Amino acid sequence: MSKKEKRWRRLYLILMIFIYAVFVPITVVEWLAADGSFPLTALVVGFALPVMRKNHINQIREKEA
């Protein structure tokens, strides 16, 4: 594993922790408790981030190979 891949893996880990531990729960609670709209952004980001991470890491590996 290259340094570039390690850095991106660390960044994605930090992003995923923030999004799944802070952003998604807060928006869902806000939606349930308040008059907020459906948390579509949180759902899209929650589903898209792992796919984006996988594709990006694969691109880095292909580029370095």
Side-chain angles (χ1 to χ4, degrees):
M1 189 179 328
S2 68
K3 285 184 178 182
K4 186 175 182 179
E5 185 178 344
K6 284 182 184 179
R7 283 187 304 218
W8 278 105
R9 283 186 176 271
R10 188 176 314 127
L11 178 67
Y12 280 124
L13 177 66
I14 292 167
L15 277 173
M16 291 176 95
I17 289 172
F18 172 75
I19 287 172
Y20 293 129
V22 177
F23 180 66
V24 172
I26 287 174
T27 55
V28 169
V29 168
E30 197 174 67
W31 172 56
L32 293 174
D35 292 333
S37 61
F38 185 75
L40 184 63
T41 306
L43 290 175
V44 169
V45 170
F47 285 118
L49 185 62
V51 175
M52 182 179 74
R53 174 182 173 240
K54 181 182 176 222
N55 288 337
H56 187 227
I57 296 297
N58 286 339
Q59 283 180 346
I60 292 172
R61 287 181 182 164
E62 288 175 3
K63 214 177 217 184
E64 293 177 355

